[in-house]
Amino acid sequence: MGYNSAGYENECQKTAMLKRLLPFVEKRVNLIELAPKGTGKSYVFSQISKHGWLNSGGVITRAKLFYDMSINLEGLIPNYDYVALDEISTIRFSDVEELQGALKGYLESGAYTVGIKSGSGEAGFVLLGNIPIEKMDENVSMFDKLPYMFHDSALLDRFHGFVKGWEMPRMKESLKAEGWALNTEYFAEIMHELRNDMTAGSVVNALLEVPDGADTRDTAAIKRITTGFVKLFFPHWKSADDVDRELFEKYCLAPAIDMRRIIKVQLGILDAEFRGKDIMPAFIIR
């Protein structure tokens, strides 16, 4: 990634930074990250992989994201591993209700329909924005500064997890890598190929027993993020027999649950229907 690991103060800062790579290795991971200025959001999503797209400012339309009927051209989502909207508070959205409907369908199933054109994509959808210090608290409303389009609880519920960007350090000289390192383009290609590796998903499904009363969206989100963490941290695990259960819970399952839990807490603040429903299922590790 171009960073010096010795420049981080603790493991929490390192793992927080690596959460940004989840859409690089796992298909259709939808994230929201709010972070202080200068923590490198734009760099990660624009400079590391040619398979992703970062959009900063301007106008976002359904045609740009999915399909432009006027010129018969597919949009960003069918063509990239992830689409990240940077400086989200400055972006304008045309035909809000139309775009909301298209996004709800895509974020849920990976499919979309524009006019008579139906298609599918594998891109993760990521919202990136800045957050003031007084809002760096998962128990207060953090989403009120998002554009009006994302004040729809049904749409927000389709985002899998939240990244606490304030856990990452502001960029400084000691964080810049020096000397020999793995080529970034090669690293990006490895991550791109990992998206097609079904092994990690099979391992996660074999390990986790889900209680009957668990919310389906919560379960799907947690499994998707957990699978991404397995690919990032333990790509050598090829079956459940290979897995160190303690490491799996600490580095894969627990952070995935926490990322999803914050989405549920914020939904409860935004919409009374979700209030009190922020408790995550008690997964059993086999």
Side-chain angles (χ1 to χ4, degrees):
M1 294 175 72
Y3 294 111
N4 171 24
S5 63
Y8 291 87
E9 295 179 5
N10 50 51
E11 188 177 79
C12 176
Q13 289 187 349
K14 293 179 182 179
T15 55
M17 177 64 74
L18 292 172
K19 289 175 183 177
R20 289 175 173 167
L21 295 181
L22 287 166
F24 290 66
V25 297
E26 180 65 8
K27 295 175 181 178
R28 292 180 41 235
V29 172
N30 308 315
L31 302 177
I32 299 174
E33 179 186 339
L34 299 179
K37 298 174 182 176
T39 55
K41 299 186 297 297
S42 302
Y43 167 77
V44 170
F45 288 99
S46 67
Q47 299 299 318
I48 291 179
S49 176
K50 67 180 181 182
H51 299 291
W53 183 275
L54 179 77
N55 188 96
S56 299
V59 179
I60 293 293
T61 64
R62 186 178 66 170
K64 183 172 184 178
L65 287 181
F66 296 104
Y67 181 76
D68 191 331
M69 291 187 291
S70 66
I71 56 175
N72 191 29
L73 185 68
E74 288 185 329
L76 297 173
I77 281 176
N79 287 295
Y80 288 96
D81 288 356
Y82 63 82
V83 174
L85 304 186
D86 196 13
E87 303 290 348
I88 188 64
S89 62
T90 69
I91 293 177
R92 292 180 292 118
F93 298 88
S94 68
D95 299 318
V96 170
E97 291 184 0
E98 181 182 77
L99 188 51
Q100 276 181 336
L103 274 175
K104 284 178 186 177
Y106 175 73
L107 298 184
E108 183 76 18
S109 67
Y112 63 88
T113 299
V114 178
I116 61 172
K117 169 69 174 180
S118 294
S120 63
E122 297 176 342
F125 194 67
V126 184
L127 304 183
L128 303 170
N130 296 323
I131 186 171
I133 190 169
E134 65 272 12
K135 288 284 188 178
M136 296 179 192
D137 182 347
E138 62 199 60
N139 296 306
V140 304
S141 178
M142 297 188 293
F143 292 171
D144 53 2
K145 296 299 183 183
L146 293 177
Y148 172 75
M149 192 180 86
F150 295 102
H151 290 191
D152 182 334
S153 58
L155 179 56
L156 286 173
D157 193 24
R158 287 160 164 82
F159 283 87
H160 298 124
F162 181 85
V163 178
K164 294 184 279 188
W166 56 86
E167 292 183 341
M168 304 175 205
R170 185 176 173 84
M171 191 62 193
K172 52 190 177 183
E173 291 301 310
S174 62
L175 288 178
K176 295 180 180 178
E178 296 181 354
W180 293 94
L182 189 67
N183 180 274
T184 301
E185 291 183 359
Y186 178 63
F187 175 54
E189 290 302 312
I190 292 174
M191 292 191 290
H192 177 66
E193 289 301 317
L194 280 171
R195 290 168 61 86
N196 296 316
D197 186 350
M198 300 294 105
T199 306
S202 299
V203 169
V204 171
N205 285 328
L207 285 173
L208 293 184
E209 182 178 327
V210 183
D212 292 338
D215 182 271
T216 299
R217 279 202 185 129
D218 292 341
T219 301
I222 291 167
K223 281 189 172 183
R224 194 176 294 271
I225 294 175
T226 301
T227 300
F229 279 130
V230 170
K231 290 180 178 181
L232 283 173
F233 295 147
F234 308 106
H236 58 292
W237 287 350
K238 301 302 181 184
S239 74
D241 294 336
D242 298 331
V243 176
D244 181 313
R245 269 56 172 180
E246 184 177 339
L247 293 179
F248 174 77
E249 182 172 14
K250 179 179 179 180
Y251 290 105
C252 304
L253 180 59
I257 291 174
D258 187 58
M259 289 172 70
R260 177 60 183 173
R261 182 185 58 80
I262 296 173
I263 294 288
K264 294 300 289 287
V265 171
Q266 289 299 304
L267 282 169
I269 294 172
L270 181 69
D271 185 341
E273 182 182 340
F274 288 89
R275 209 156 293 154
K277 298 180 180 179
D278 57 342
I279 304 302
M280 293 294 99
F283 286 99
I284 298 171
I285 301 177
R286 297 188 182 99

